Amino acid sequence: MKHKIKALTIVLFTIGSIVFTACNTKNQEKMKTENNESIFPKGEKLPSDWFTGNAFLSPLVSQDKNNNFSAGAVTFEPNARTVWHTHPKGQVLLVIEGAGLYQEKGKTAQFIKKGDVVNIPENTEHWHGATAATKMVHIAITNFKDERQVTWLQPVSDEDFAEANKTASE
Amino acid sequence: MKHKIKALTIVLFTIGSIVFTACNTKNQEKMKTENNESIFPKGEKLPSDWFTGNAFLSPLVSQDKNNNFSAGAVTFEPNARTVWHTHPKGQVLLVIEGAGLYQEKGKTAQFIKKGDVVNIPENTEHWHGATAATKMVHIAITNFKDERQVTWLQPVSDEDFAEANKTASE
């Protein structure tokens, strides 16, 4: 009789543990899916002349008679970043997912994360992108001046990117 | 002896059920918290002259020498909406959370949801807001013309709001 009770206890405890673990795993996967669903589609891969690593653009608004800007959602996978560049009439970044970096020439890089806003001045050499470890998605609102939006410059070297990751301020 | 096995089975089954239910509840609450964390702060309640119900504004970008627009994140709790209004130089809505409604004068209302973009023409009477059942958050990019952004008109009546909820197209 004692054996039967012991066996039953073990069986039921095992069933309980399996159920507990299974329900935790299922919920974690469900949470992961729900939390990983980005707001906008990822869009098309951006050209490597202007974007190092895997960066994607989902266009949202084109320049028109009212909107003297274009806007898009840009996804940077870890390590991806723009090359150095300037905007003749500035640009606004609204970070909507993840965490990344923003750096102006001659200044320390800054960490930027979900909820941050960066108002980039005109004609200021800068770059932005993911960190080495984290993905980042931002909406970019880029103003036009005489039909131009951007002047692309040289890539951000791996050394400078590593330095930015190491020394960026919050 | 049979009684002991029966009692033990009941006890262990009860414990298993409690654990299962508890872990489901805990995970649902955790998911609710993580999924409900909005990107931008909710901000301040908007005036009832121009917004029916509970609507809030988190300003993101002010008009400046480069940005001929202001941008903000607007949260509409269920039932909340703008009054009817026009923009002299249009407005862009980027829906970043939830689901709501957009309606132009004389047209059927449209459901708008996370990931949608609405490019509102100039001088077009319209309103936007939550549905009766769901919250909605959008970024609004509102252009200036001669220092003006908006002309506020009359509220959306409860009858018209109910009608919009009932007849809106996807």
PDB file of all heavy atoms in Angstrom, chain A residues 82-95:
ATOM      1  N   THR A  82      23.634  54.025 -40.529  1.00  0.00           N
ATOM      2  CA  THR A  82      23.796  54.833 -41.732  1.00  0.00           C
ATOM      3  C   THR A  82      25.279  55.098 -41.899  1.00  0.00           C
ATOM      4  O   THR A  82      26.075  54.904 -40.983  1.00  0.00           O
ATOM      5  CB  THR A  82      23.105  56.194 -41.579  1.00  0.00           C
ATOM      6  OG1 THR A  82      23.797  56.935 -40.551  1.00  0.00           O
ATOM      7  CG2 THR A  82      21.635  56.060 -41.205  1.00  0.00           C
ATOM      8  N   VAL A  83      25.663  55.611 -43.079  1.00  0.00           N
ATOM      9  CA  VAL A  83      26.995  56.195 -43.219  1.00  0.00           C
ATOM     10  C   VAL A  83      26.899  57.604 -42.622  1.00  0.00           C
ATOM     11  O   VAL A  83      25.802  58.060 -42.268  1.00  0.00           O
ATOM     12  CB  VAL A  83      27.433  56.242 -44.703  1.00  0.00           C
ATOM     13  CG1 VAL A  83      27.457  54.832 -45.302  1.00  0.00           C
ATOM     14  CG2 VAL A  83      26.561  57.178 -45.529  1.00  0.00           C
ATOM     15  N   TRP A  84      28.038  58.299 -42.502  1.00  0.00           N
ATOM     16  CA  TRP A  84      27.991  59.707 -42.100  1.00  0.00           C
ATOM     17  C   TRP A  84      27.200  60.465 -43.168  1.00  0.00           C
ATOM     18  O   TRP A  84      27.298  60.168 -44.359  1.00  0.00           O
ATOM     19  CB  TRP A  84      29.410  60.282 -42.019  1.00  0.00           C
ATOM     20  CG  TRP A  84      30.202  59.800 -40.835  1.00  0.00           C
ATOM     21  CD1 TRP A  84      31.111  58.779 -40.801  1.00  0.00           C
ATOM     22  CD2 TRP A  84      30.171  60.343 -39.513  1.00  0.00           C
ATOM     23  NE1 TRP A  84      31.636  58.649 -39.556  1.00  0.00           N
ATOM     24  CE2 TRP A  84      31.087  59.599 -38.735  1.00  0.00           C
ATOM     25  CE3 TRP A  84      29.470  61.401 -38.896  1.00  0.00           C
ATOM     26  CZ2 TRP A  84      31.323  59.860 -37.373  1.00  0.00           C
ATOM     27  CZ3 TRP A  84      29.694  61.671 -37.547  1.00  0.00           C
ATOM     28  CH2 TRP A  84      30.607  60.897 -36.802  1.00  0.00           C
ATOM     29  N   HIS A  85      26.406  61.438 -42.763  1.00  0.00           N
ATOM     30  CA  HIS A  85      25.618  62.200 -43.745  1.00  0.00           C
ATOM     31  C   HIS A  85      25.111  63.500 -43.149  1.00  0.00           C
ATOM     32  O   HIS A  85      25.240  63.718 -41.925  1.00  0.00           O
ATOM     33  CB  HIS A  85      24.441  61.361 -44.272  1.00  0.00           C
ATOM     34  CG  HIS A  85      23.439  60.967 -43.216  1.00  0.00           C
ATOM     35  ND1 HIS A  85      23.679  59.971 -42.291  1.00  0.00           N
ATOM     36  CD2 HIS A  85      22.195  61.445 -42.944  1.00  0.00           C
ATOM     37  CE1 HIS A  85      22.627  59.847 -41.498  1.00  0.00           C
ATOM     38  NE2 HIS A  85      21.720  60.717 -41.869  1.00  0.00           N
ATOM     39  N   THR A  86      24.604  64.380 -44.009  1.00  0.00           N
ATOM     40  CA  THR A  86      23.984  65.639 -43.558  1.00  0.00           C
ATOM     41  C   THR A  86      22.619  65.790 -44.225  1.00  0.00           C
ATOM     42  O   THR A  86      22.338  65.160 -45.249  1.00  0.00           O
ATOM     43  CB  THR A  86      24.834  66.876 -43.943  1.00  0.00           C
ATOM     44  OG1 THR A  86      24.883  66.950 -45.387  1.00  0.00           O
ATOM     45  CG2 THR A  86      26.240  66.785 -43.399  1.00  0.00           C
ATOM     46  N   HIS A  87      21.793  66.641 -43.630  1.00  0.00           N
ATOM     47  CA  HIS A  87      20.489  67.004 -44.209  1.00  0.00           C
ATOM     48  C   HIS A  87      20.446  68.510 -44.381  1.00  0.00           C
ATOM     49  O   HIS A  87      20.719  69.244 -43.425  1.00  0.00           O
ATOM     50  CB  HIS A  87      19.339  66.567 -43.300  1.00  0.00           C
ATOM     51  CG  HIS A  87      19.319  65.096 -43.012  1.00  0.00           C
ATOM     52  ND1 HIS A  87      19.039  64.155 -43.971  1.00  0.00           N
ATOM     53  CD2 HIS A  87      19.587  64.409 -41.870  1.00  0.00           C
ATOM     54  CE1 HIS A  87      19.118  62.949 -43.428  1.00  0.00           C
ATOM     55  NE2 HIS A  87      19.454  63.066 -42.166  1.00  0.00           N
ATOM     56  N   PRO A  88      20.040  68.990 -45.561  1.00  0.00           N
ATOM     57  CA  PRO A  88      20.062  70.444 -45.773  1.00  0.00           C
ATOM     58  C   PRO A  88      19.025  71.189 -44.934  1.00  0.00           C
ATOM     59  O   PRO A  88      19.169  72.379 -44.682  1.00  0.00           O
ATOM     60  CB  PRO A  88      19.742  70.592 -47.267  1.00  0.00           C
ATOM     61  CG  PRO A  88      19.008  69.346 -47.626  1.00  0.00           C
ATOM     62  CD  PRO A  88      19.592  68.264 -46.766  1.00  0.00           C
ATOM     63  N   LYS A  89      17.970  70.449 -44.497  1.00  0.00           N
ATOM     64  CA  LYS A  89      16.941  71.136 -43.715  1.00  0.00           C
ATOM     65  C   LYS A  89      16.545  70.309 -42.486  1.00  0.00           C
ATOM     66  O   LYS A  89      15.401  70.349 -42.031  1.00  0.00           O
ATOM     67  CB  LYS A  89      15.723  71.417 -44.595  1.00  0.00           C
ATOM     68  CG  LYS A  89      14.924  72.662 -44.156  1.00  0.00           C
ATOM     69  CD  LYS A  89      13.854  73.020 -45.193  1.00  0.00           C
ATOM     70  CE  LYS A  89      13.203  74.366 -44.885  1.00  0.00           C
ATOM     71  NZ  LYS A  89      12.405  74.425 -43.669  1.00  0.00           N
ATOM     72  N   GLY A  90      17.518  69.521 -41.983  1.00  0.00           N
ATOM     73  CA  GLY A  90      17.274  68.810 -40.733  1.00  0.00           C
ATOM     74  C   GLY A  90      16.412  67.569 -40.875  1.00  0.00           C
ATOM     75  O   GLY A  90      15.886  67.259 -41.955  1.00  0.00           O
ATOM     76  N   GLN A  91      16.301  66.840 -39.780  1.00  0.00           N
ATOM     77  CA  GLN A  91      15.565  65.584 -39.748  1.00  0.00           C
ATOM     78  C   GLN A  91      15.141  65.318 -38.308  1.00  0.00           C
ATOM     79  O   GLN A  91      15.834  65.694 -37.361  1.00  0.00           O
ATOM     80  CB  GLN A  91      16.476  64.437 -40.234  1.00  0.00           C
ATOM     81  CG  GLN A  91      15.830  63.055 -40.234  1.00  0.00           C
ATOM     82  CD  GLN A  91      16.816  61.951 -40.619  1.00  0.00           C
ATOM     83  OE1 GLN A  91      17.860  61.794 -39.991  1.00  0.00           O
ATOM     84  NE2 GLN A  91      16.476  61.172 -41.633  1.00  0.00           N
ATOM     85  N   VAL A  92      13.976  64.690 -38.152  1.00  0.00           N
ATOM     86  CA  VAL A  92      13.503  64.307 -36.820  1.00  0.00           C
ATOM     87  C   VAL A  92      13.452  62.786 -36.736  1.00  0.00           C
ATOM     88  O   VAL A  92      12.923  62.130 -37.644  1.00  0.00           O
ATOM     89  CB  VAL A  92      12.096  64.884 -36.541  1.00  0.00           C
ATOM     90  CG1 VAL A  92      11.538  64.319 -35.237  1.00  0.00           C
ATOM     91  CG2 VAL A  92      12.145  66.403 -36.484  1.00  0.00           C
ATOM     92  N   LEU A  93      14.031  62.238 -35.674  1.00  0.00           N
ATOM     93  CA  LEU A  93      13.945  60.797 -35.432  1.00  0.00           C
ATOM     94  C   LEU A  93      13.021  60.565 -34.238  1.00  0.00           C
ATOM     95  O   LEU A  93      13.172  61.212 -33.194  1.00  0.00           O
ATOM     96  CB  LEU A  93      15.326  60.217 -35.104  1.00  0.00           C
ATOM     97  CG  LEU A  93      16.457  60.438 -36.114  1.00  0.00           C
ATOM     98  CD1 LEU A  93      17.739  59.777 -35.612  1.00  0.00           C
ATOM     99  CD2 LEU A  93      16.083  59.917 -37.490  1.00  0.00           C
ATOM    100  N   LEU A  94      12.058  59.670 -34.394  1.00  0.00           N
ATOM    101  CA  LEU A  94      11.185  59.256 -33.287  1.00  0.00           C
ATOM    102  C   LEU A  94      11.472  57.771 -33.079  1.00  0.00           C
ATOM    103  O   LEU A  94      11.100  56.942 -33.916  1.00  0.00           O
ATOM    104  CB  LEU A  94       9.709  59.458 -33.653  1.00  0.00           C
ATOM    105  CG  LEU A  94       9.297  60.844 -34.162  1.00  0.00           C
ATOM    106  CD1 LEU A  94       7.844  60.834 -34.633  1.00  0.00           C
ATOM    107  CD2 LEU A  94       9.501  61.896 -33.086  1.00  0.00           C
ATOM    108  N   VAL A  95      12.131  57.419 -31.980  1.00  0.00           N
ATOM    109  CA  VAL A  95      12.515  56.026 -31.768  1.00  0.00           C
ATOM    110  C   VAL A  95      11.305  55.247 -31.242  1.00  0.00           C
ATOM    111  O   VAL A  95      10.744  55.593 -30.187  1.00  0.00           O
ATOM    112  CB  VAL A  95      13.705  55.895 -30.793  1.00  0.00           C
ATOM    113  CG1 VAL A  95      14.149  54.441 -30.696  1.00  0.00           C
ATOM    114  CG2 VAL A  95      14.869  56.777 -31.259  1.00  0.00           C
TER     115      VAL A  95
END
